[in-house]
Amino acid sequence: MGDEAGPELTAYVERALRVMEAAGAHAAEVPVQQLARETGLPLAGVQRLLKALAQDGYLTEPDDGAFTLSGRHSPLGSEHNGHKRLDRVRPALTSLRDELSAAVYLTLYEEGEIRIMEIVDSARTPRVDLWVGFHDAGHATALGKSVLRELDEKARAEYLSRHSLTDLTPHTITCRDELLRQLDSSPTAPVVMDREEYARGTTCVAVPVYSGDRVGSLGISFRSDRMYRTSRVRAGLLASAMRVTMGLSLPD
């Protein structure tokens, strides 16, 4: 991995799964203290996880301080469904769009390609014109560079051997060594940016997400002349990445 973002996200989802499994083992609601004992996790951490799981609809809280597995989700271990997973994370994408007033994008790395899985925009937050497909533009977008940054050396080399670093704008990085240096030494990691590297007048910011063991990225785009607070963008993206990773990784 490029840094600790991947392991942190994975550990978060693993803890959420343990809490879900513990709650699902009971026919009735379970007190927080009991779930903490059964999972072996700190009480404060379990409380935070339970609130997040309840917020996203995986658990319900019939009584104050007690939780149960939500009836609208299938039991753990059932077959994954791509459409259901996207439906599950769409509220988080919409919330991020509204919070940062920017179009939101979700990608996953599948079969050696960086694929756009979902775009959430609006009339006030239009998406960037995807004038070049991601097959030819992974090196020039924050979304693509976020994925490349998380790949191991072998997978990254294999990807770059099949994709030319096409010159899309005067700001596009077309030198492989320069791209690799940028990926491995970003001072803002795990946040990755592209400043008019894909499209003139557009800036994009992205962070990694995971669907099980598959890496992806969550990002936003906005006009380069727009003023924005870096700390707010970073905090919003990282918090949403946790929710999206959990939604993509938890069983249906």
Side-chain angles (χ1 to χ4, degrees):
M1 300 295 176
D3 55 40
E4 294 304 309
E8 286 178 2
L9 284 170
T10 301
Y12 180 83
V13 173
E14 288 175 348
R15 292 194 296 270
L17 278 170
R18 287 166 66 182
V19 172
M20 288 271 287
E21 289 168 349
H26 297 270
E29 58 267 25
V30 192
V32 176
Q33 293 81 356
Q34 183 175 345
L35 289 173
R37 288 195 301 271
E38 292 179 358
T39 59
L41 297 171
L43 178 60
V46 171
Q47 289 174 325
R48 288 193 296 269
L49 280 170
L50 289 169
K51 293 297 183 183
L53 289 165
Q55 178 182 352
D56 289 335
Y58 302 111
L59 298 174
T60 57
E61 189 176 6
D63 298 311
D64 186 32
F67 292 80
T68 186
L69 198 64
S70 175
R72 68 186 180 91
H73 292 283
S74 303
L76 294 176
S78 61
E79 186 177 353
H80 284 272
N81 182 291
H83 291 294
K84 287 183 179 179
R85 289 199 303 270
L86 283 177
D87 288 343
R88 211 156 56 191
V89 303
R90 201 167 281 117
L93 305 182
T94 302
S95 177
L96 181 63
R97 178 200 64 189
D98 296 342
E99 177 188 351
L100 298 182
S101 298
V104 175
Y105 309 78
L106 175 66
T107 79
L108 281 179
Y109 189 64
E110 293 184 324
E111 299 177 347
E113 298 296 341
I114 302 166
R115 306 186 190 281
I116 295 181
M117 307 305 292
E118 187 72 2
I119 300 176
V120 177
D121 60 356
S122 69
R124 293 181 63 249
T125 58
R127 68 185 67 186
V128 65
D129 179 18
L130 300 176
W131 69 286
V132 176
F134 257 56
H135 181 82
D136 299 310
H139 65 291
T141 66
L143 290 158
K145 289 193 289 185
S146 179
V147 170
L148 291 175
R149 194 172 182 282
E150 296 302 306
L151 295 180
D152 60 34
E153 185 176 348
K154 180 179 179 181
R156 188 191 291 177
E158 196 277 331
Y159 176 90
L160 292 175
S161 71
R162 294 183 289 104
H163 297 82
S164 300
L165 304 187
T166 308
D167 187 2
L168 302 181
T169 78
H171 301 282
T172 305
I173 298 174
T174 57
C175 172
R176 175 171 171 157
D177 288 343
E178 182 181 353
L179 176 65
L180 292 175
R181 278 196 300 271
Q182 185 188 89
L183 294 177
D184 292 332
S185 62
S186 172
T188 60
V191 178
V192 176
M193 296 187 68
D194 87 72
R195 297 177 177 87
E196 303 189 17
E197 296 170 42
Y198 176 77
R200 292 191 183 195
T202 298
T203 293
C204 297
V205 189
V207 295
V209 295
Y210 286 83
S211 176
D213 59 357
R214 289 185 300 164
V215 67
S217 57
L218 173 68
I220 61 171
S221 69
F222 48 86
R223 286 175 45 178
S224 296
D225 61 358
R226 174 186 146 190
M227 298 294 292
Y228 67 93
R229 290 178 56 191
T230 303
S231 58
R232 182 184 177 196
V233 169
R234 180 185 181 91
L237 279 169
L238 291 174
S240 296
M242 287 288 192
R243 292 182 64 193
V244 170
T245 292
M246 184 169 62
L248 292 176
S249 300
L250 290 175
D252 295 310

